[in-house]
Amino acid sequence: MSQQTQAADILSAPHVLEYPYRRSVGPVLSRFFTALRERKIVGVETSAGRVLCPPAEADPETGAAVSDRFVEVGPGGVIESWTFVAKPRDKQPLARPFAYALIRLDGADTALLHVVDADPARLRTGARVRPRWRAETVGEIGDIECFELETSR
Amino acid sequence: MSDAERKPVRSIQTPMRLTYHYTAGIATSRFLHGIAEGRILGQRCPVCTKVYVPPRGSCPRCAVATEEEVHVSDRGTILTFAIVRVPSENLDVPLPFACVHVLLDGADVPFFSVVQGCPLDEVRIGMRVAAAWVEPDRLAPTLQSIRWFEPTGEPDVPFDQLREHL
């Protein structure tokens, strides 16, 4: 049998691999997501007095358990670092070009990874941003649709 | 505000979805065309003589192309199994069921499927099973043409004869 004859018979088909996970968030992130549902952003204080946002169960510098003191941060913050996505793919958060950014919210000592909806010409490290909330919040990170530059209005 | 809204958020949905377009290649395409005719085709390695099913066109041990096509039986022996009690999307089998590796007669590597047709506590290594195909008019080039495997009632295969395949 010739290779050409076989080639015509080669099968191909769409193949979707999907894992519909639901993940337990634990006591600390539970406070973060519950606050998001109320359109608030909270961080947690470490024993050294630093504020982690997003909150973690342990201080990343010492490994010690964090305190039970949750503090509201933001909603505004500062872009610490960013990368621009010129051609978003299907599952990315915005259908138009956007930036992923590390955002240090006011009152926090660590940065939150989120989306910034802005013209790349106006993006810069140090720029101030604020959250754009969804009309309906359910207690997940996507309750903040994205951040936008404070000077854009 | 509903009760659900007042309760703390304890979990979040984190779905993963990967959208591929899978091309089967020459060997696996021929295997799937065989399945559509109710036949199981394997390929024999020219060096170690092991028969692979489904065939991938090469022998991973010997790193050579496999071309010789061999017909493999739709009967075989359970090499190992696991009982599944949680539902899975896209798997149209009543719960609970047994996932099995079946060593088809004439093949050297196990074939993945599920077992139906007997109490789960009777499923065992060495048990003889046969493929339960879909109705002939529903045969298609997909492994869904084999619904599952069912016990044949033949005597078990002694473990020593299976050892090298485990």
Side-chain angles (χ1 to χ4, degrees):
Chain A
M1 185 177 304
S2 76
Q3 204 73 1
Q4 283 98 341
T5 318
Q6 290 187 337
D9 293 331
I10 287 181
L11 295 167
S12 70
H15 176 66
V16 176
L17 187 60
E18 189 168 27
Y19 301 101
Y21 293 127
R22 175 170 280 278
R23 179 189 153 204
S24 296
V25 295
V28 171
L29 279 171
S30 172
R31 294 285 294 264
F32 177 72
F33 288 115
T34 304
L36 285 177
R37 195 173 57 196
E38 294 158 20
R39 294 190 170 75
K40 291 176 182 164
I41 308 172
V42 298
V44 69
E45 269 187 36
T46 67
S47 55
R50 276 161 38 92
V51 174
L52 309 178
C53 182
E57 293 185 14
D59 182 338
E61 295 196 346
T62 65
V66 294
S67 75
D68 57 3
R69 294 185 298 278
F70 288 84
V71 294
E72 195 171 338
V73 298
V78 174
I79 294 179
E80 285 201 334
S81 176
W82 54 277
T83 185
F84 199 69
V85 181
K87 294 179 181 171
R89 308 182 81 168
D90 284 351
K91 299 297 171 190
Q92 286 185 313
L94 293 180
R96 57 187 170 278
F98 69 91
Y100 282 118
L102 284 169
I103 299 164
R104 187 162 44 79
L105 295 169
D106 298 342
D109 294 292
T110 57
L112 171 80
L113 177 66
H114 216 294
V115 172
V116 177
D117 182 14
D119 178 348
R122 302 184 58 214
L123 275 169
R124 58 187 168 79
T125 297
R128 287 201 54 84
V129 292
R130 64 179 163 223
R132 183 193 299 158
W133 296 92
R134 287 198 194 277
E136 192 179 335
T137 56
V138 295
E140 60 176 42
I141 192 64
D143 288 349
I144 300 172
E145 182 183 359
C146 60
F147 283 78
E148 56 195 13
L149 295 173
E150 280 196 350
T151 53
S152 68
R153 280 187 188 162
Chain B
M1 187 181 285
S2 73
D3 277 355
E5 284 172 324
R6 285 198 198 91
K7 282 183 187 163
V9 175
R10 300 205 184 280
S11 66
I12 53 171
Q13 282 185 308
T14 56
M16 283 188 62
R17 184 182 168 90
L18 304 170
T19 307
Y20 294 102
H21 196 86
Y22 177 74
T23 299
I26 294 170
T28 307
S29 291
R30 287 187 57 74
F31 164 81
L32 289 169
H33 285 302
I35 290 287
E37 295 167 2
R39 296 179 299 146
I40 302 177
L41 299 175
Q43 280 184 335
R44 193 189 316 274
C45 172
V47 177
C48 68
T49 74
K50 284 192 184 303
V51 172
Y52 291 96
V53 58
R56 303 298 184 198
S58 64
C59 175
R61 289 189 177 198
C62 306
V64 295
T66 50
E67 287 171 357
E68 184 193 346
E69 204 161 80
V70 290
H71 285 248
V72 171
S73 175
D74 67 354
R75 287 182 172 227
T77 306
I78 292 179
L79 279 183
T80 188
F81 64 94
I83 308 298
V84 179
R85 300 179 190 278
V86 292
S88 176
E89 285 182 43
N90 308 324
L91 197 53
D92 189 20
V93 180
L95 282 177
F97 61 86
C99 271
V100 288
H101 273 181
V102 178
L103 185 67
L104 296 171
D105 296 347
D108 287 289
V109 296
F111 186 83
F112 181 82
S113 189
V114 303
V115 161
Q116 294 275 290
C118 71
L120 288 180
D121 59 5
E122 291 182 12
V123 176
R124 59 199 181 271
I125 293 172
M127 188 184 211
R128 295 285 295 162
V129 291
W133 296 82
V134 296
E135 296 300 313
D137 61 340
R138 296 190 57 204
L139 283 172
T142 161
L143 281 178
Q144 286 168 345
S145 293
I146 296 176
R147 300 168 72 199
W148 49 64
F149 279 74
E150 292 170 343
T152 65
E154 295 163 90
D156 282 13
V157 174
F159 181 75
D160 280 349
Q161 293 179 28
L162 303 171
R163 189 186 297 274
E164 71 165 302
H165 298 288
L166 285 168

